[in-house]
Amino acid sequence: MKFLRNIFDNLEPKVKDNKFLHTVYDGFETFFFTPKEVTTGPGVHIRDGIDLKRTMVLVVLALQLCLLFGMWNIGHQHYNALGLYPGVGDSIFTKFLYGALQLLPIIIVAHVVGLGIEFFFAAKKGHAIEEGFLVSGMLIPLIMPPDIPLWMLALAVAFAVIIAKEAFGGTGMNILNIALTARVFLFFAYPTEISGDNCWVAYDYNWLHSIFGMGDATMNALGLSSLPEGGWKSLVTDGFSGATPLALAAKGGWEAVTNQYTVSEMFWGFIPGSVGEMCKPAIIFGMIMLIVTRIASWRIMISMILGAVAMGLILNAVGANPFMQVPFYQHLIMGSFMFAMVYMATDPVTAAQTETGKWIYGFMIGFIGMIVRVLNPAYPEGWMLAILFLNVFAPTIDHYIYQRNIKRRLSRAA
Amino acid sequence: MSEVAEKEPLLSKKNRKLLSDPLDDNNPITVQVLGICSALAVTSQLKPSIIMAICVIFVISFANLIVASIRKIMPGRIRMIVQLIIIAALVTIVDIFLKAFAFDVSKELSVFIGLIITNCIVMGRLEAFAMGNKPWPAFLDGIGNGLGYGLILIIVGGLRELFGAGTLLGFPILNADEGSFLHGIGYQHNGIMATPAAAMFIIGILIWIQRARNQKLVDIS
């Protein structure tokens, strides 16, 4: 700590005069050390000693288990597709290394682009760096397919940070969730990369893998001397399908899902999909952590489950096609429901602020998300769109809660 | 018009300002936020954007000219109806002209030519400028506003066509077909650019850039 403090103290006079450098310096200094300035005097809004940076870091910590599992699962799906190491316990380290090296460029690009823009705007506005992007930068890799092209990712992150955040005035002022905006941009701009059956498994090897000789090792294991014409994709074994449970359910209902995946596979997350959304125990761990530290609202989570269950029951009652007949409780472990509920819907900036509003907000997300998921064939998953939709409505919900409160208290005074 | 020419040259400083103001300081789309509907709807490609711009320049300048010429004999109570009839007549001329000489574009623009009648810029300029000015300045004001509108349309249409389909006026610029260089390095056309939502973003960004450069606009609205 002393060593770090010395570095910062030595740097300070050097960067003092350059606006941009000083912004960067300030950002890192407050990241490592709690700033000395404290809010003085009474303030009704101060409820805790924890500042924004500490809040954000806790969310990032809560995401780590999802991230680690996601790394392993990328490798697991990759080797499964090639017909190697089919068991969950086989070659854990190789799978993890493959996934980690696949995900590393994605994480780096998301952070470099996002923080770069953040630093630029902070210097331009003469503000301290707002650290909201730490969470977005961690969330974005977790909601991407594992082989998303990096330039598309960079474009999406730039779009999300500039349009959804800086245009509204930076961290805490954004109406839409940044990570979901990045994803929705990709979803509409480059739909082939982020929907369908082929995008959820990483097939190729990048240059990081080749440093460790992973491609050659795999070829040896497959008994090949050189890569065939069609690349790695042509080596996929016949029995393997990259289809997600939701894609299967849309085609053939619950039966089609259980033909390919068991419920425990879906619960533990040994299935293809976005990087972080698979492993439900890891998400539950993060959920408990966020609820205990009171960063995420348990009201939103519970009401979102209630909304999804309510709509699920309605759909079950109608039951007009196989997808509608999927038991409502199974919807909770399919797709990204849990991940969206824990990390996306509860975003303290974009969610409703009032306690009653949170119940309405969460319930509507669950309700609408389920409608989009089951009834709209164009969108395989509904939570991204439902959460963004309710993000837009959150201020309206709050407005009516406030008005009702004002009216009630006025009537008491009259 | 001869009266004007005696007093001041045809392109005096004041008149030049009528032409140049709507291009930046008083742009009908980015400052007055008028005519957004057609700016979102017809700008998926550059060609219809240009045609639309020309049509609007024609309609708005001649409507201004005619209304300014008859502004003193027009009864105040029915002026809206008279203005509408003049605009409608001009739009019909444009529509028939396009059908005769550029049928493909006419089909592409479909109802949006007819909807120039409802374009707020036209009515807005008639009410705000032509009703109180002489024909020649009114004509210039019409051309200026039409150009300001067309400028934004062409920027938006060009960007959308270039990044949405990789072409400009139908010529391939960013070719991402199978076998091309860009396809080889993994370039893909942007699907959002093909939807009107992209026009919304581009116009928003244009407004942002313009206001960042031009501080006197910031507190107007």
Side-chain angles (χ1 to χ4, degrees), chain A residues 151-152 159 162-163 185 188-190 192-193, chain B residues 185-192 201 205 208:
Chain A
W151 69 272
M152 286 183 190
F159 177 86
I162 294 174
I163 302 286
F185 176 85
F188 286 107
Y190 306 106
T192 51
E193 297 296 330
Chain B
I185 59 170
Y187 179 80
Q188 285 183 28
H189 296 314
N190 191 322
I192 291 184
F201 291 129
I205 292 169
W208 188 3

Side-chain angles (χ1 to χ4, degrees), chain B residues 105-126:
Chain B
V105 184
S106 165
K107 262 199 307 198
E108 205 169 323
L109 288 168
S110 63
V111 295
F112 290 100
I113 290 292
L115 285 177
I116 296 176
I117 299 172
T118 60
N119 193 323
C120 338
I121 300 172
V122 183
M123 204 64 168
R125 287 332 285 173
L126 292 184

Side-chain angles (χ1 to χ4, degrees), chain A residues 152-276:
Chain A
M152 286 183 190
L153 180 74
L155 200 64
V157 172
F159 177 86
V161 174
I162 294 174
I163 302 286
K165 186 170 176 183
E166 297 302 343
F168 287 97
T171 300
M173 310 291 281
N174 49 310
I175 291 175
L176 299 173
N177 187 311
I178 314 295
L180 285 180
T181 311
R183 195 176 198 277
V184 87
F185 176 85
L186 283 177
F187 186 77
F188 286 107
Y190 306 106
T192 51
E193 297 296 330
I194 198 164
S195 53
D197 289 350
N198 289 320
C199 69
W200 304 112
V201 179
Y203 296 103
D204 295 330
Y205 288 83
N206 61 21
W207 60 273
L208 282 171
H209 293 128
S210 59
I211 293 178
F212 291 86
M214 298 192 79
D216 296 338
T218 309
M219 260 190 282
N220 281 340
L222 287 168
L224 296 167
S225 55
S226 66
L227 201 58
E229 190 76 2
W232 290 103
K233 254 183 195 172
S234 64
L235 294 173
V236 174
T237 52
D238 290 338
F240 183 81
S241 148
T244 58
L246 284 173
L248 295 168
K251 281 182 201 123
W254 185 239
E255 208 177 322
V257 179
T258 44
N259 279 344
Q260 193 158 346
Y261 306 110
T262 63
V263 171
S264 81
E265 270 179 332
M266 285 194 277
F267 180 73
W268 288 100
F270 310 140
I271 52 172
S274 298
V275 176

Side-chain angles (χ1 to χ4, degrees), chain A residues 139 143 177 180 277 280 283-284 286-288 290-291 296-309 332-348 351 361-363 365-366 373 381 383-384 387:
Chain A
L139 280 172
I143 56 175
N177 187 311
L180 285 180
E277 74 182 25
K280 310 304 180 291
I283 298 170
I284 291 169
M287 176 171 93
I288 293 169
L290 290 179
I291 290 178
S297 157
W298 56 271
R299 290 181 179 84
I300 293 177
M301 298 189 198
I302 290 187
S303 57
M304 191 167 153
I305 294 177
L306 289 178
V309 166
L332 304 186
I333 58 163
M334 292 203 302
S336 60
F337 175 79
M338 293 282 281
F339 193 83
M341 177 181 85
V342 175
Y343 297 107
M344 296 298 178
T346 56
D347 175 353
Y361 170 85
F363 187 86
I365 290 178
R373 173 190 268 192
E381 180 60 299
W383 311 110
M384 169 179 73
I387 291 172

